[in-house]
Amino acid sequence: MKKNILLIFLATIISFSSTCTLWAETATSIEQNTENDLELSSDAAILMDATTGEILYEKNSNKKEYPASITKIMTALLAFESGKMDETITFSHDAIFGIEPGSSHIALQEEEQITMEQAMYALLLRSANEAALGIAEQVDGSVEKFATHMTERAKELGCKNTNFVNPNGLHSENHYTTAYDMALIAKEALKFEDFKNIIQTTYYEIPPTNKQEETRYLYGQHQMIKPPSIYVYEGCEGGKTGFTDEAQNTLVTYAKRNDTELIAVVFQCKGAQHYEDTIKLFDYGFSQFKTVKLSSASEVSQTFSVVNEKKEEIDSVFAKAKEDVYQTVPIDFEMDKVTKKENAPETLSAPISLNDAVASVTFYYEEKPIATAELFADHAVTLEESEENVVTASMQNDKKIDSNFHSFPTILSILIFAVICSIISFFVALIICRFISWRKRKRRRFARRRK
């Protein structure tokens, strides 16, 4: 197994190094183009491929910023991951009165009940701060536990400079994130179709409740999907706005054209600069890059024989990529110039663990590596299992020998019977010959007497 891992590791490192060299040149070109072509007003910004995570543009992307209400994307993510979307929230006193006077809300009342789904629309369309507190309490029991959950989940996603202290983004010195971290969170939220449906919605109604006799009418705030705004953008899928005095305007936006989906994040914008900068980012991204599917997971799969220390085959494993292989490429990229090469041993040596990377496939564009996909074992093969398999095989061979041994007496009996029959036949023939000879002699004697 160590030899397998070493070979795959070396092959992957070589391919990865070549890939990094090729795409480092592309990244250098991106950086030069963005510096020359993009003039952004925002203090920090990033443009990310939503499928591959490739960074197409960045400006102060790791600088700590106050996020304001784009925080609510993380709140929504944890709500979807909690599996409590069919539950009803009863809003507590703390949820209703725990927000700043004059901040965004939908006038929910203490002990009022709405569904989690309705609360999510209030959260993402109207940026309702009390809805965020109610969701937090429903998911984790308290706002404090939910805030800790938010920060821990951010770290799991790869965020390095993020700390959340509340689920709504109201200002706190210890509540911060970065453009890069926020893009990672926004990318993860896209895994939920319900999230995508909500952020694309421009109008929603919450019917009368146990405390409110009138219907609540919710209108989306994101101007890039809401006609007749002058900022409506082709392919925009919505997103989340944010504002506090300290953060100024912040914005997370999704846009998709054909198979290419991009995420733009901007911080510290004044007036309409957050929309203007986002449009510049999307225009740049869609004009320069596209996302291509190099292969499906099933197309880069293989079955390997597994051998023990004696090089005896004792099992086989099926290995494949965990997901389809996508790559961000220049806009003039041609798929018919893509080739692939497997980096795999002829056999694998036990032990092998479940999801071990046992091989890889490297994709080339005009003979230059552009991506590498690892293949993972579908089950484990342990040394104990190897020994058991060898013992089983040995037992099966012993059974064959034993079976042949038990058939030996039957063959011997047949041989003995044949020999006995031959002897009897010999003596019978001898007796017959003697009798015939005796008869002939007797006839000759009788004939001489008559003469």
Side-chain angles (χ1 to χ4, degrees):
M1 179 182 177
K2 292 182 178 178
K3 292 182 179 179
N4 294 338
I5 294 176
L6 181 59
L7 290 173
I8 298 304
F9 177 75
L10 291 174
T12 303
I13 287 296
I14 293 171
S15 299
F16 180 73
S17 298
S18 301
T19 303
C20 286
T21 300
L22 174 66
W23 291 102
E25 297 173 0
T26 304
T28 301
S29 176
I30 292 173
E31 185 176 353
Q32 291 173 348
N33 288 336
T34 54
E35 287 180 352
N36 293 333
D37 300 339
L38 294 184
E39 295 182 1
L40 303 183
S41 302
S42 52
D43 184 55
I46 197 168
L47 180 67
M48 178 182 285
D49 187 318
T51 303
T52 67
E54 187 81 23
I55 300 173
L56 308 183
Y57 175 89
E58 56 184 341
K59 175 185 176 182
N60 297 329
S61 63
N62 291 307
K63 181 181 178 182
K64 294 180 181 179
E65 302 276 2
Y66 299 129
S69 284
I70 60 175
T71 297
K72 295 181 173 83
I73 293 178
M74 174 57 91
T75 302
L77 173 62
L78 297 191
F80 284 120
E81 290 179 341
S82 72
K84 297 182 177 182
M85 294 306 295
D86 59 346
E87 295 183 0
T88 296
I89 301 175
T90 300
F91 282 81
S92 69
H93 175 87
D94 290 342
I96 300 303
F97 296 99
I99 64 175
E100 295 177 5
S103 64
S104 299
H105 63 88
I106 61 167
L108 288 167
Q109 301 176 43
E110 186 176 346
E111 298 299 320
E112 186 168 3
Q113 294 180 330
I114 62 173
T115 66
M116 178 72 86
E117 180 183 7
Q118 292 167 344
M120 294 294 284
Y121 275 95
L123 178 82
L124 296 172
L125 294 190
R126 296 305 305 168
S127 204
N129 290 314
E130 82 273 43
L133 297 183
I135 291 170
E137 291 178 347
Q138 189 73 15
V139 172
D140 283 323
S142 72
V143 170
E144 292 74 19
K145 289 182 180 179
F146 188 82
T148 300
H149 187 180
M150 294 171 74
T151 302
E152 291 175 348
R153 186 70 179 101
K155 290 179 180 178
E156 292 173 358
L157 295 176
C159 300
K160 299 178 180 179
N161 297 289
T162 293
N163 187 70
F164 294 120
V165 298
N166 62 61
N168 48 35
L170 291 175
H171 181 69
S172 170
E173 291 291 331
N174 293 320
H175 188 93
Y176 54 81
T177 186
T178 67
Y180 174 73
D181 289 359
M182 201 65 229
L184 291 180
I185 295 168
K187 180 177 181 292
E188 188 70 13
L190 278 182
K191 293 182 178 180
F192 294 90
E193 285 298 320
D194 287 343
F195 173 80
K196 296 178 70 172
N197 292 335
I198 293 174
I199 63 172
Q200 293 179 41
T201 302
T202 58
Y203 173 76
Y204 183 79
E205 295 182 4
I206 298 179
T209 68
N210 63 318
K211 294 287 186 176
Q212 175 59 262
E213 297 180 354
E214 297 181 359
T215 298
R216 288 183 172 92
Y217 305 99
L218 309 183
Y219 295 89
Q221 296 175 317
H222 202 299
Q223 296 298 307
M224 292 177 68
I225 60 168
K226 185 179 179 182
S229 168
I230 61 173
Y231 300 109
V232 170
Y233 190 81
E234 179 188 353
C236 182
E237 300 176 292
K240 186 70 191 77
T241 60
F243 176 84
T244 64
D245 290 337
E246 295 81 5
Q248 293 297 295
N249 282 315
T250 62
L251 188 66
V252 173
T253 310
Y254 304 87
K256 186 174 184 179
R257 292 182 181 177
N258 299 319
D259 295 325
T260 303
E261 188 170 24
L262 305 179
I263 300 170
V265 182
V266 294
F267 283 95
Q268 283 284 342
C269 297
K270 297 180 180 180
Q273 291 174 347
H274 53 319
Y275 292 120
E276 294 168 354
D277 282 3
T278 298
I279 290 172
K280 288 179 182 179
L281 288 168
F282 283 148
D283 282 347
Y284 167 72
F286 287 121
S287 66
Q288 299 295 319
F289 304 97
K290 63 182 178 181
T291 310
V292 297
K293 181 179 179 179
L294 297 178
S295 176
S296 65
S298 60
E299 291 173 341
V300 285
S301 61
Q302 188 175 344
T303 299
F304 294 92
S305 296
V306 182
V307 299
N308 59 15
E309 294 177 352
K310 297 179 180 180
K311 302 303 179 182
E312 299 168 325
E313 183 177 349
I314 45 84
D315 203 345
S316 64
V317 298
F318 180 72
K320 70 173 185 177
K322 290 184 177 180
E323 54 189 14
D324 297 342
V325 184
Y326 291 89
Q327 185 66 37
T328 307
V329 298
I331 198 70
D332 58 355
F333 183 92
E334 299 176 28
M335 275 298 297
D336 57 3
K337 295 182 180 180
V338 176
T339 57
K340 64 182 179 180
K341 178 182 178 181
E342 294 180 352
N343 310 306
E346 292 184 3
T347 59
L348 302 176
S349 298
I352 295 172
S353 299
L354 173 66
N355 290 327
D356 266 355
V358 297
S360 64
V361 175
T362 300
F363 296 86
Y364 296 82
Y365 184 74
E366 295 182 333
E367 300 183 355
K368 294 182 180 180
I370 58 172
T372 298
E374 291 185 315
L375 309 186
F376 300 90
D378 67 338
H379 69 276
V381 180
T382 66
L383 286 174
E384 289 77 10
E385 289 175 341
S386 301
E387 292 173 358
E388 288 176 4
N389 290 339
V390 171
V391 171
T392 301
S394 176
M395 290 176 63
Q396 290 175 345
N397 290 333
D398 290 344
K399 286 181 180 179
K400 290 180 181 178
I401 294 172
D402 188 54
S403 176
N404 292 335
F405 176 77
H406 285 301
S407 67
F408 179 73
T410 302
I411 296 173
L412 182 62
S413 300
I414 294 173
L415 289 174
I416 294 173
F417 179 75
V419 170
I420 293 173
C421 288
S422 297
I423 293 173
I424 293 173
S425 298
F426 172 77
F427 281 107
V428 170
L430 181 62
I431 293 171
I432 292 173
C433 290
R434 291 293 182 96
F435 177 75
I436 293 172
S437 178
W438 175 78
R439 290 279 296 175
K440 285 181 178 180
R441 288 196 302 272
K442 187 174 181 180
R443 285 176 182 171
R444 283 196 292 269
R445 289 192 194 115
F446 180 76
R448 283 198 293 268
R449 287 176 184 172
R450 292 187 62 181
K451 291 179 179 180

